[in-house]
Amino acid sequence: MSQGFRQSQAVLHTWSGLVVGWVLYLIFIAGTASYWRNELTRWMQPELGLPAASDVALDQAQRFLARTAPDATRWSIELPGSRSNATSVRWQPKDAPEPKRGQPNPWQATLDPSGQPVSARETRGGDFFYRLHFDLHYVPVLWARWFVCFCTVFMLVAIISGVITHKKIFADFFSFRRGKGQRSWLDGHNALAVLSLPFHLMITYTGLITLMTVYMPWAVQANFGSRDAFFAELFPREAKVQPAGQRVMMPELATLMESAQQQWGNGHAGSVVVDYPGDAAMRITFRRDSGDRIADNGEALRFDAEGALQGPVATRSAAVFTRDGMIGLHAARFAPTLMRWLFFLSGVAGTLMVATGLVLWTVKRREQLPDPARPPLAFRFVERMNIGFVAGLPLAMLAFLWGNRLLPVTLDARAQAEISVFFAAWALCLLHAALRAPRRAWTEQLAAAGVLSLLLPVFNLLVWNGGLFSALAAGDTAKAGIDLGLALLGAALLWAARKVHRHVPAARRARVPRNGALNTYGAGA
């Protein structure tokens, strides 16, 4: 392969990574945290204990709804799983308008392991990070997804051009030269890239597949006329139930769930919907848990008022099943704990790969500046943005967790207040990076993030009845794992802050012009 082609790919790799690098860092760090979004939600609702077994939880939910909303037109029950924290129930009163998506629902409750309603603090939990990594929160959804797709295409280009550029990329994986300035950053960048290269390719490609109808709408428009018509055929809605007006005994939902799970080959039910409970025309729909298989296609089974199986709700084509498999690989809802750790650590490697690439850009170009002490405005902008994103985003995410602990439990719009804490902390980090010298800004933000992370488990230990130790004693590995992870993260951030603080820049090399004359940086040849 010609050297000129490799050089062109190096330029493409550099600029395709830098142009969208900050957004890619946000996508990676928030997406990586999302692998533990259920566990984070459990941690952020400390009022809730360990969930009950699914059959017990379903029986408790049925009894609660029979007492609370016997005349409702619909019951919806979200069952606890191995990673979720409680049973959630909703009901739709007769003649009451259904609440719109995103609006608070007054007809819902969260049940504790004994089946009694419990008041847990309002929070978006780990779902905030999940939505942030492709919806960007404050940006209109369609525009946000267009932009994320645009950045993801650049990520794919950067991966492919990076492999082409580094002809010794796999050999260099085993090389790490400490204290060599630019060379050390490049070694770290290469090692992180190669370590989880299959994961990076998979997560980037499947991310594009997930949103393919957003950035490639022409086939949908040509064949269906509109997105609504396309999705109506792709996800057909069931016909509405017409009540018979005759009251009958409700079958035991736990018994029907056992039958459904046998039909799925010992699969697990994730949710139950009962249309017109107690009516002779009642319809009971069990949906399979999304963590049962890689391709989560919303498989459902339907029963009538007598408990007789009516068959599956709908079947999907092979193309849709393939797409569901791609989405399942991307979200990793199917992954058991060990595999989830592999996904998470690969995501961490991807996050650090993007971060080291951003830092490498400034390190390399600083050595080429005529006067590194007075860099141009564009260079200073990139350098400050690197600090505000690479160090500021972890700090803002930890501030979000602190907001969950410190904001009053009864505060109105509490979930949005937690999110406001996140963005306010991030804005302060960007401002701090602009006002402080780069080395001081790196040190102070990394150290602040480390302290915030280390103090969270201590706060839980003092305030929440023993925190980590009580969670371990109760067998609540989700809450205990988050506390342990925060302690390790805090130690890593403080170590990084210490390394930056103690770093001594390498002596600048003398520039030797071709004619051998003396230059301003040292002696001639």
Side-chain angles (χ1 to χ4, degrees):
M1 192 176 294
S2 69
Q3 197 65 26
F5 179 72
R6 287 190 187 278
Q7 186 64 32
S8 67
Q9 292 300 298
V11 174
L12 178 63
H13 178 77
T14 298
W15 288 102
S16 61
L18 178 69
V19 168
V20 296
W22 299 312
V23 180
L24 288 176
Y25 181 78
L26 168 64
I27 293 170
F28 257 99
I29 195 171
T32 300
S34 300
Y35 284 128
W36 304 109
R37 65 172 176 158
N38 289 356
E39 289 77 7
L40 279 168
T41 302
R42 285 179 64 175
W43 184 90
M44 296 176 75
Q45 292 182 314
E47 299 86 359
L48 302 177
L50 284 170
S54 58
D55 55 344
V56 175
L58 182 54
D59 184 64
Q60 292 171 345
Q62 181 177 0
R63 294 177 187 277
F64 172 82
L65 290 168
R67 294 192 309 268
T68 306
D71 298 323
T73 58
R74 171 173 285 199
W75 293 348
S76 298
I77 305 170
E78 294 289 336
L79 294 170
S82 58
R83 300 175 59 216
S84 55
N85 58 344
T87 308
S88 299
V89 296
R90 298 186 301 275
W91 60 94
Q92 181 59 41
K94 189 181 297 184
D95 301 325
E98 291 191 24
K100 295 182 179 180
R101 186 176 182 179
Q103 293 182 344
N105 185 353
W107 306 299
Q108 63 180 353
T110 300
L111 307 183
D112 65 13
S114 66
Q116 298 302 312
V118 60
S119 179
R121 63 188 62 197
E122 182 190 359
T123 181
R124 289 283 298 278
D127 286 339
F128 168 65
F129 297 130
Y130 173 71
R131 303 296 300 190
L132 178 67
H133 97 281
F134 62 91
D135 277 353
L136 306 181
H137 194 69
Y138 286 120
V139 182
V141 170
L142 187 59
W143 285 101
R145 296 186 182 186
W146 262 102
F147 186 53
V148 167
C149 289
F150 174 80
C151 295
T152 306
V153 170
F154 270 68
M155 176 69 185
L156 191 60
V157 170
I159 291 173
I160 295 172
S161 58
V163 172
I164 294 172
T165 299
H166 298 96
K167 58 183 179 181
K168 296 181 179 179
I169 188 169
F170 293 103
D172 288 345
F173 170 70
F174 298 98
S175 301
F176 183 74
R177 285 149 282 198
R178 297 177 56 188
K180 299 296 183 181
Q182 176 188 332
R183 183 72 251 179
S184 299
W185 283 106
L186 182 59
D187 286 346
H189 183 69
N190 289 341
L192 291 165
V194 178
L195 180 66
S196 50
L197 179 61
F199 171 83
H200 298 153
L201 286 168
M202 180 277 294
I203 208 70
T204 305
Y205 180 71
T206 55
L208 288 170
I209 293 296
T210 301
L211 300 176
M212 63 183 180
T213 58
V214 173
Y215 63 90
M216 295 183 65
W218 304 283
V220 171
Q221 293 173 356
N223 290 281
F224 296 91
S226 68
R227 284 170 55 86
D228 291 340
F230 169 70
F231 283 109
E233 182 169 330
L234 188 64
F235 306 109
R237 293 186 177 182
E238 299 175 82
K240 291 186 177 181
V241 176
Q242 298 299 324
Q246 178 184 352
R247 303 297 295 179
V248 296
M249 286 287 294
M250 277 282 299
E252 292 291 333
L253 295 180
T255 302
L256 297 183
M257 182 179 70
E258 183 179 353
S259 175
Q261 292 180 159
Q262 290 175 355
Q263 290 288 327
W264 289 325
N266 294 322
H268 303 87
S271 65
V272 187
V273 175
V274 182
D275 292 300
Y276 291 98
D279 189 89
M282 167 176 44
R283 183 173 64 193
I284 305 168
T285 305
F286 288 86
R287 292 201 175 274
R288 193 169 183 175
D289 183 59
S290 61
D292 269 0
R293 299 188 298 176
I294 295 178
D296 170 32
N297 62 351
E299 187 175 354
L301 293 174
R302 188 167 58 211
F303 296 83
D304 62 16
E306 298 179 354
L309 180 63
Q310 299 298 298
V313 172
T315 57
R316 298 190 181 182
S317 67
V320 175
F321 190 79
T322 302
R323 173 184 173 273
D324 292 336
M326 295 284 189
I327 296 173
L329 276 174
H330 189 85
R333 297 188 185 96
F334 70 94
T337 301
L338 180 58
M339 185 176 290
R340 187 170 301 279
W341 270 107
L342 292 175
F343 271 86
F344 174 74
L345 293 175
S346 297
V348 170
T351 304
L352 294 175
M353 176 191 69
V354 177
T356 54
L358 290 170
V359 174
L360 178 61
W361 191 93
T362 57
V363 170
K364 181 177 181 180
R365 276 149 188 81
R366 182 177 288 279
E367 294 180 356
Q368 300 170 355
L369 293 175
D371 185 0
R374 294 179 178 84
L377 179 62
F379 182 91
R380 293 201 303 271
F381 174 78
V382 172
E383 191 171 43
R384 289 339 192 253
M385 289 289 285
N386 281 352
I387 299 168
F389 272 79
V390 175
L393 264 175
L395 194 154
M397 294 169 76
L398 291 162
F400 174 73
L401 300 183
W402 271 105
N404 172 263
R405 286 296 189 256
L406 298 180
L407 289 173
V409 176
T410 57
L411 181 69
D412 291 337
R414 190 180 186 281
Q416 183 55 45
E418 291 179 358
I419 295 171
S420 298
V421 169
F422 169 85
F423 284 103
W426 189 15
L428 287 174
C429 288
L430 289 167
L431 179 62
H432 174 266
L435 298 177
R436 299 288 282 171
R439 185 174 173 185
R440 286 183 178 273
W442 277 113
T443 303
E444 290 164 2
Q445 291 197 24
L446 289 170
V451 170
L452 288 177
S453 189
L454 280 175
L455 288 181
L456 270 169
V458 176
F459 180 86
N460 290 336
L461 193 67
L462 299 175
V463 175
W464 290 105
N465 301 322
L468 171 64
F469 299 112
S470 63
L472 288 173
D476 195 341
T477 55
K479 292 180 181 177
I482 296 296
D483 271 349
L484 285 171
L486 287 169
L488 292 173
L489 175 63
L493 289 168
L494 288 176
W495 174 83
R498 181 174 178 269
K499 295 291 288 186
V500 172
H501 177 69
R502 300 182 64 180
H503 174 67
V504 178
R508 184 169 176 156
R509 291 185 179 181
R511 289 189 177 182
V512 182
R514 293 182 180 179
N515 59 10
L518 291 175
N519 60 41
T520 58
Y521 302 103

